Amino acid sequence: MTDEAEITDTGATPRADKAMLVRWLASAGIVAIGLIVGGFVLGDGLVRMKAAERSVTVRGLAEREVTADLATWTVSFASTATDLRTAQASTDQDATAVREFFDDLGFPENELTPAGVNVSNYTDDGIVFYTVRQRIVLRTKDIERAQRAVRRQAELVRKGVVLEDGSGITYTFTGLNAIKPEMVAEATRDARMAAEQFAEDSGADVGSIRKATQGYFSIDARDGEAGGWGVGDTPFKKVRVVTTVDFALD
């Protein structure tokens, strides 16, 4: 009986080893397949991530010439006398002359605003002198009429009005919000043209916008800054904006 038991045990061992081997091979196969699939996914992901890093950053420019729609002219004048009352009376006469000047040119009275009075004094050889300064501001949307007024400002001097350095006209363009969308679109198109040129040179295609930054709008004199005594500004302006756009490359 002992021999039979030993023969039975010996016959069962190969079958158990075979089953264990099959299970081990199956597990190894699953692991191998998982590693292959994982490597493929990881590699594909790295390729896509690398492709996503391909981009070009360019700037687009848009410029537009406009005409100012608001004119502001500050007329500053002063009178000096040895007593305050005389200086004040002389300045009041100048204020009347200034108002008549603008009235003759056809400006409505509500477009003129007093902008303050200043009094100062100094002593020369023991004599006290008083200086009274006044300012009147013209604010109008009639640009052509304002330009005519500036060209004729010498008439005020001939009437005895002493214009000070603080006098000068400023032209302002207030319609920026109306042209902003079109100018931003134009600057973006300009940026895409630059990106397409870059892509063509590098053998790539321009994709979608990844990131964009709108620059500041600037409004400057069209022909450069005006200068010199009595010259304040020009109504002819140039609006400018620069956008920075990051395009993907396919």
Side-chain angles (χ1 to χ4, degrees):
M1 294 182 63
T2 305
D3 293 340
E4 291 180 357
E6 288 178 356
I7 293 172
T8 303
D9 292 340
T10 302
T13 300
R15 289 196 296 269
D17 291 343
K18 185 177 181 180
M20 183 179 299
L21 178 61
V22 170
R23 288 196 299 270
W24 183 86
L25 289 174
S27 299
I30 293 173
V31 171
I33 293 172
L35 289 174
I36 293 172
V37 173
F40 174 78
V41 172
L42 178 61
D44 184 62
L46 289 174
V47 170
R48 284 181 295 173
M49 184 172 64
K50 192 65 178 179
E53 293 176 354
R54 297 182 62 199
S55 65
V56 58
T57 301
V58 292
R59 291 185 176 181
L61 170 67
E63 291 183 332
R64 184 168 299 188
E65 292 184 4
V66 298
T67 301
D69 51 16
L70 176 65
T72 306
W73 187 8
T74 300
V75 182
S76 180
F77 48 93
S79 297
T80 301
T82 54
D83 65 277
L84 182 58
R85 181 174 296 181
T86 301
Q88 181 66 64
S90 179
T91 305
D92 289 342
Q93 291 178 1
D94 290 345
T96 299
V98 170
R99 290 185 175 277
E100 289 176 350
F101 169 76
F102 286 118
D103 182 65
D104 291 342
L105 287 168
F107 290 101
E109 186 176 352
N110 60 5
E111 292 185 344
L112 295 175
T113 305
V117 178
N118 174 266
V119 179
S120 61
N121 63 78
Y122 65 94
T123 302
D124 186 12
D125 290 335
I127 301 175
V128 179
F129 291 86
Y130 295 90
T131 300
V132 178
R133 293 181 173 84
Q134 290 192 40
R135 292 188 300 274
I136 294 178
V137 177
L138 169 72
R139 183 181 174 87
T140 180
K141 291 185 175 293
D142 193 337
I143 303 300
E144 293 184 2
R145 195 183 301 273
Q147 289 181 281
R148 290 198 298 270
V150 173
R151 289 193 292 266
R152 293 176 54 179
Q153 62 182 310
E155 295 179 14
L156 287 172
V157 179
R158 285 194 288 269
K159 291 182 179 181
V161 179
V162 181
L163 297 176
E164 296 201 312
D165 289 344
S167 299
I169 192 166
T170 300
Y171 296 97
T172 306
F173 176 68
T174 65
L176 181 59
N177 287 336
I179 65 174
K180 266 186 178 182
E182 293 180 2
M183 291 194 65
V184 170
E186 181 181 340
T188 304
R189 287 194 298 270
D190 184 64
R192 179 171 285 276
M193 290 176 59
E196 289 174 347
Q197 181 61 54
F198 178 88
E200 181 180 346
D201 295 340
S202 59
D205 294 322
V206 178
S208 59
I209 294 176
R210 297 179 58 190
K211 183 173 61 176
T213 303
Q214 175 192 308
Y216 291 104
F217 277 84
S218 63
I219 304 177
D220 302 304
R222 183 192 64 187
D223 303 314
E225 295 299 326
W229 189 92
V231 178
D233 199 0
T234 170
F236 307 109
K237 305 290 184 182
K238 179 181 289 186
V239 183
R240 188 173 188 269
V241 65
V242 177
T243 59
T244 302
V245 186
D246 187 12
F247 289 98
L249 294 180
D250 299 332

